[in-house]
Amino acid sequence: MSKFQLDVWVTREFPKTWTHVVKSFADPQFETRGADALFCYDRNAGIGAFFATVRNGRLDDGTLVQDGPHQVGPNHTFSRRWTHIVNGPFAPPYPGGVQVLFYDAASGVGEFYATDGRGNLILKKQHSGWRTSWTQILAGRFGNANLLFYDATDGTLEFHSVDNSGDMHLKQRNTGLLKSWHSIITGNFSNSEFDDLLFYDKGAGVGVFYKVDGNAGRTLFSEHDNWRTTWQHVVSGQFLQNATFDGLLFYEEGSGHTEFYSTDGHGGISQIDVNLGNQWALPWQVILAGEFTPSFGLIGTSRLCAYDSRDGTIRYFLFEPATIKTVIDLNGRWTDGSTRSAIISAAFTSLTIDMSAYNRPAAHGSIVDGFTITVTFPDDATYTGKLQLPNTIKWSNGSAWTKV
C-alpha cells in the first residue's frame, strides 16, 4: 500500500497556447490569501498575463470565479519573443522591487521588471549585448548573488547580483564546467543558509549536489551516478509536510513515469512511495512545486501545479498521506471490558488514541493495512493490533478492545 497519494484539488481548461508557465514572482494580492500565483506567456503571440489562485466566490470587482487560476490585470504585449522568463524576487522590498527577468536569446537582450501586485509590470532596466547562448537562468539566494547563468555551449557559469534599479554586478564566474548539464535545480538540500544547487546530466545519468557560500562559491557535497538518463523534469519542493529539506520529483517525458524522493541534508535521497492516481497521467509540459492552495478553508495544501498545452489542462495536486480503509471504522470509543474507554482518532494512515480515562498519556500509531494497526503506548511498549469483525482489536500482548 502506498504511503502517500496525489489527490486533485482542481482541474481547469486552460489555453493551449502558453509556452511558459512560471510561478509566483508577482504575488498578485487579488484574493489569493497567500497562495502562489502564475505568470503565463505565449511566445508565438508575444502575450503574457498574471493568474491568481482563487477559490469559488467573488473577487473584489464582483467577478464570479471558479476554483483555480483566474487572470489578474491586463494582457501584456511584448515586441520581443522572450526565450526565458525568470521569477524573483531579486531585490526587495516588494512591491516596487525587481521581480522578473525576461531574456531574449536571439538578440541578447534582458529586461528587469517590477510588479505592483495587481497584475501590472513596470520596466526597471533594459540590458543589451548579453550572450545569446545562455541555456539556463535561475533566481535564488546564492550568497551575495541572486541570479545564476549557465551556458552549455562552453560550460560557463556566472553568478550576478541585481539591485532595485535593475543594475547587475558579476560576483562569480566559473569556466570549464561540463557542457552536458541538462537541468540545474535550486532547493534546500542541506543546512546552508543559502539555496543549494542540484546539477543533472541527463546523458550520463549523474546528479551532483552543491552548497553555495556567501561569495557565490560552490562546494560539492554529494554525487550520484546511477540515475535514469530519461528524466525531462526535475522539480524540488516541500512535498512532505514539515520536512526539514526539500524533496525531488522526477518526470519522464513520453511515458509519464514519475518518482518522488526525499533528501536527507547530506545529499542522500530516498524514494517516497506515492500513488499517483489516474489524473496525473497527462504529458505535462510544465510542473511547478509551491503552495497553490489559498489559505482559507481548504483541507490540505496543493503542492503541485501541472500544465499540459496539448490538452489545454491545468491541475493543482494535493500531496497527502494515503488513506487505508479498514474493515472496522476505528474512530470512536473502545473498551477493554472495564467501565473506562479509550478514544481512537484515525486520519489517513495515522492513529491517535486518547488514554486520559486510564490516566495514561496519549498513544500514537499507524494503519498497516485493512486488518492491522501498530500503536506505541509511551508508558509501555509498541503493540500490533489485529482487527476482527464485527468490533474487536486483538493486541499482540494478548489483550483485546471492543468498540463501544
Side-chain angles (χ1 to χ4, degrees):
M1 179 71 183
S2 297
K3 294 183 179 179
F4 296 90
Q5 61 192 28
L6 281 186
D7 293 327
V8 177
W9 168 41
V10 67
T11 299
R12 288 285 301 275
E13 292 185 6
F14 221 48
K16 301 179 181 180
T17 54
W18 300 128
T19 54
H20 298 66
V21 178
V22 182
K23 183 185 71 173
S24 172
F25 50 72
D27 189 23
Q29 299 301 301
F30 201 48
E31 288 292 323
T32 65
R33 300 293 197 274
D36 283 336
L38 302 173
F39 181 78
C40 300
Y41 174 65
D42 178 354
R43 185 167 185 260
N44 298 310
I47 294 175
F50 290 102
F51 290 84
T53 305
V54 300
R55 294 293 309 278
N56 279 335
R58 293 185 182 274
L59 300 184
D60 290 345
D61 64 357
T63 303
L64 184 65
V65 297
Q66 299 175 340
D67 281 354
H70 178 82
Q71 184 168 343
V72 175
N75 284 341
H76 299 277
T77 302
F78 302 93
S79 58
R80 297 184 185 276
R81 299 298 183 259
W82 306 113
T83 54
H84 296 65
I85 302 174
V86 185
N87 59 305
F90 305 118
Y94 170 82
V98 172
Q99 299 287 321
V100 57
L101 165 63
F102 293 88
Y103 165 67
D104 174 24
S107 62
V109 169
E111 292 182 352
F112 288 101
Y113 286 81
T115 61
D116 64 358
R118 292 284 175 172
N120 295 303
L121 286 168
I122 303 96
L123 178 64
K124 302 291 285 191
K125 192 86 171 188
Q126 182 185 86
H127 297 264
S128 59
W130 286 6
R131 289 186 184 219
T132 58
S133 52
W134 292 123
T135 311
Q136 298 182 61
I137 307 175
L138 302 174
R141 299 174 299 113
F142 308 126
N144 58 5
N146 44 31
L147 267 179
L148 175 156
F149 293 78
Y150 170 67
D151 184 347
T153 63
D154 66 358
T156 295
L157 186 73
E158 290 185 357
F159 291 90
H160 293 258
S161 65
V162 182
D163 62 27
N164 249 335
S165 299
D167 291 320
M168 295 179 61
H169 308 276
L170 177 65
K171 297 299 182 180
Q172 190 81 236
R173 175 183 287 122
N174 305 140
T175 59
L177 274 69
L178 289 178
K179 302 177 184 179
S180 53
W181 295 122
H182 174 270
S183 304
I184 303 175
I185 301 97
T186 62
N188 172 27
F189 307 123
S190 76
N191 58 358
S192 172
E193 62 181 299
F194 306 116
D195 288 338
D196 302 303
L197 295 170
L198 169 60
F199 287 62
Y200 170 58
D201 183 343
K202 184 178 178 184
V206 169
V208 181
F209 288 93
Y210 289 93
K211 289 185 180 180
V212 179
D213 61 31
N215 295 314
R218 294 177 301 122
T219 301
L220 186 152
F221 70 97
S222 181
E223 183 172 0
H224 301 262
D225 60 5
N226 59 349
W227 289 2
R228 288 180 180 234
T229 58
T230 52
W231 300 126
Q232 184 64 27
H233 297 286
V234 182
V235 181
S236 68
Q238 280 282 312
F239 304 125
L240 300 181
Q241 189 173 5
N242 300 322
T244 304
F245 307 103
D246 284 347
L248 293 168
L249 178 157
F250 295 85
Y251 178 81
E252 185 177 88
E253 196 172 47
S255 71
H257 179 76
T258 305
E259 295 179 4
F260 287 87
Y261 288 81
S262 61
T263 64
D264 63 4
H266 304 285
I269 66 173
S270 301
Q271 189 167 0
I272 306 171
D273 188 4
V274 181
N275 176 13
L276 298 174
N278 57 13
Q279 296 200 63
W280 180 254
L282 278 175
W284 304 117
Q285 281 73 60
V286 177
I287 302 173
L288 303 172
E291 300 288 340
F292 298 105
T293 300
S295 56
F296 50 110
L298 187 67
I299 298 174
T301 300
S302 182
R303 305 282 181 179
L304 288 169
C305 169
Y307 169 63
D308 172 24
S309 62
R310 282 168 281 190
D311 193 54
T313 297
I314 192 166
R315 284 187 181 138
Y316 293 125
F317 291 88
L318 302 171
F319 192 93
E320 297 291 350
T323 299
I324 299 177
K325 183 176 177 59
T326 53
V327 293
I328 303 172
D329 181 6
L330 292 167
N331 291 283
R333 294 183 177 273
W334 294 78
T335 180
D336 60 357
S338 68
T339 58
R340 297 174 295 181
S341 59
I343 303 173
I344 298 181
S345 299
F348 300 109
T349 58
S350 297
L351 297 174
T352 302
I353 305 181
D354 180 354
M355 299 290 293
S356 59
Y358 294 86
N359 295 315
R360 297 175 61 184
H364 300 275
S366 60
I367 301 171
V368 178
D369 56 40
F371 294 87
T372 311
I373 63 174
T374 61
V375 176
T376 298
F377 297 88
D379 59 346
D380 188 1
T382 298
Y383 298 105
T384 298
K386 292 294 184 180
L387 309 185
Q388 297 183 355
L389 291 171
N391 59 354
T392 301
I393 302 175
K394 290 284 189 179
W395 294 105
S396 54
N397 65 353
S399 65
W401 287 4
T402 304
K403 192 169 186 182
V404 179

